Amino acid sequence: MLIVMNVGATQREIDGVVCAIESLGFRAHPMPGASRTAIGVTGNQGAVDIGHFENLPGVAEAVRVTKPYKLTSRDLRPEPTIVDVGGAKIGGGSLTIIAGPCAIESREQAFSVAEAVQRSGAQFFRGGAFKPRTSPYAFAGLGEEGLKILAEVREKFGLRVVTEALDESTVDLVEKYADMIQIGSRNMQNFTLLRRAGRSRLPVLLKRGMAATLEEWLLAAEYVMSEGNYQIVLCERGVRTFAQHSRNTLDLAAVPAVRRISHLPVIVDAAHGTGRNYMVTPLARAGVAVAADGIMVEVHPRPDEALSDGAQTLTFDEYEQMVKQVRAIHEVIA
Ligand code: PEP
Ligand code: MN
């Protein structure tokens, strides 16, 4: 259920409704909007009696939400959510660029990429310390050592750092060193991890599962939000299809489709979405053209020596060109 407050409802009236929801054993999610506050109700197993709320002071209406996703939906919050990552904003019309190596390999490697990212004017640095690899024998990241390097990158270059957590215990570590928790494609339906991220103070970058429908993706975000963390950025990173010309099929139609039903920002990962260096820049341009809130790419000083995902990684020169091009496209459509 969704309770829409009157325009100009007082904080006291909002608190009164929250109290009424909690006294029934449910959870209240107040979402202040541009003109009025809406309060989402979760935790109810069956239908809640609308009559409980309709006559409370300050309430405009109580609405049953029939869609499976509730807190992620525009019904609850018509305005786009702007996610705050340590003071840097994602969403609301700006163009976010998240760039960095697939994995943190050494301090030297991370610093040289961070310098290129900073020079380009991007605010976000990515890099895995815990890598989910298909093979158990592949490089799985430097672990906490990698997180320490990320914290140094933040300190030295003033970038916000985004890194993946694989399970509940790595969320604890990521919280210690980073600015944003990435939940990877393979973990999009790891429900205990989603709930743990929902209890974090850090914003979450939620990648689309490699075979997830839009509804499953939004329900994964719903898991995070239902625990009280409303700071989520969705990331389209391609889905598995029969295509053999690319690693995944980047589903750019997902961007307007998500935007139509959800208030959450959505970005496009042109690296994992293609798997091929020569496709990354064209698809990053396309992502911006379909009005994604940002793009993610992988960058390395020597992609052919990268310990993971070299084939989809940009050199510094390629990265610099790409940034110029996507900014020009963003100017045109903004
Ligand atoms: C990544 O961004 O490093 C990654 C592993 O991506 P995905 O979860 O989309 O495969
Ligand atoms: Mn990668």
Side-chain angles (χ1 to χ4, degrees):
M1 181 184 309
L2 161 66
I3 296 164
V4 183
M5 302 300 291
N6 285 327
V7 175
T10 63
Q11 190 56 47
R12 204 188 160 87
E13 288 169 337
I14 295 168
D15 293 343
V17 174
V18 167
C19 231
I21 294 167
E22 288 172 352
S23 70
L24 291 168
F26 307 144
R27 184 155 185 167
H29 303 268
M31 299 271 166
S35 59
R36 70 345 175 234
T37 292
I39 307 173
V41 182
T42 61
N44 51 303
Q45 295 304 326
V48 186
D49 183 5
I50 281 188
H52 275 306
F53 302 104
E54 259 175 353
N55 298 321
L56 293 175
V59 171
E61 57 173 338
V63 191
R64 231 178 270 299
V65 183
T66 48
K67 297 186 189 93
Y69 36 83
K70 302 173 192 303
L71 304 174
T72 50
S73 134
R74 280 198 184 265
D75 295 344
L76 184 68
R77 189 183 154 82
E79 304 86 18
T81 284
I82 297 174
V83 172
D84 186 314
V85 186
K89 306 279 197 288
I90 303 181
S94 58
L95 176 67
T96 296
I97 295 171
I98 305 178
C102 178
I104 301 297
E105 298 169 1
S106 67
R107 178 179 289 104
E108 293 64 38
Q109 173 243 24
F111 279 18
S112 73
V113 180
E115 198 183 6
V117 172
Q118 186 196 43
R119 207 178 329 118
S120 75
Q123 289 182 290
F124 294 86
F125 183 81
R126 60 146 290 144
F130 299 97
K131 297 299 303 173
R133 301 306 302 275
T134 303
S135 162
Y137 309 120
F139 175 62
L142 297 179
E144 189 165 1
E145 214 32 59
L147 294 178
K148 288 182 181 163
I149 295 172
L150 281 168
E152 288 182 53
V153 164
R154 173 173 50 189
E155 203 54 35
K156 188 168 159 62
F157 298 91
L159 297 166
R160 309 298 182 281
V161 298
V162 185
T163 195
E164 180 163 355
L166 289 181
D167 49 30
E168 289 181 86
S169 64
T170 47
V171 175
D172 296 343
L173 286 169
V174 168
E175 280 177 332
K176 229 168 113 183
Y177 298 102
D179 298 299
M180 188 175 208
I181 306 166
Q182 179 170 321
I183 295 187
S185 192
R186 293 156 189 80
N187 266 323
M188 190 207 79
Q189 285 190 315
N190 179 339
F191 300 117
T192 50
L193 175 60
L194 293 171
R195 284 199 196 279
R196 171 65 185 84
R199 294 190 295 274
S200 178
R201 64 182 166 80
L202 291 188
V204 174
L205 181 74
L206 179 62
K207 291 222 169 174
R208 180 180 181 184
M210 60 183 78
T213 63
L214 216 61
E215 184 168 310
E216 289 162 342
W217 190 14
L218 289 174
L219 284 171
E222 194 80 22
Y223 262 90
V224 178
M225 291 186 85
S226 68
E227 294 289 332
N229 187 349
Y230 309 130
Q231 296 280 288
I232 303 170
V233 175
L234 299 168
C235 178
E236 162 60 37
R237 49 77 72 202
V239 289
R240 180 65 63 84
T241 67
F242 54 82
Q244 291 177 338
H245 57 275
S246 56
R247 177 180 178 183
N248 292 295
T249 297
L250 191 63
D251 177 14
L252 291 177
V255 174
V258 163
R259 204 177 291 303
R260 192 178 170 88
I261 49 183
S262 177
H263 52 85
L264 295 173
V266 54
I267 69 164
V268 164
D269 176 348
H272 298 87
T274 59
R276 309 266 194 278
N277 166 286
Y278 76 95
M279 291 182 181
V280 172
T281 295
L283 272 293
R285 291 194 300 246
V288 176
V290 295
D293 293 289
I295 51 148
M296 175 184 270
V297 290
E298 292 180 333
V299 187
H300 193 285
R302 290 171 302 280
D304 21 337
E305 291 172 25
L307 297 181
S308 59
D309 284 352
Q312 65 193 34
T313 295
L314 299 179
T315 63
F316 292 167
D317 285 349
E318 289 165 341
Y319 170 68
E320 202 181 308
Q321 282 306 310
M322 187 278 305
V323 170
K324 278 199 193 116
Q325 295 176 3
V326 295
R327 289 227 169 98
I329 293 168
H330 183 250
E331 282 281 300
V332 172
I333 61 159

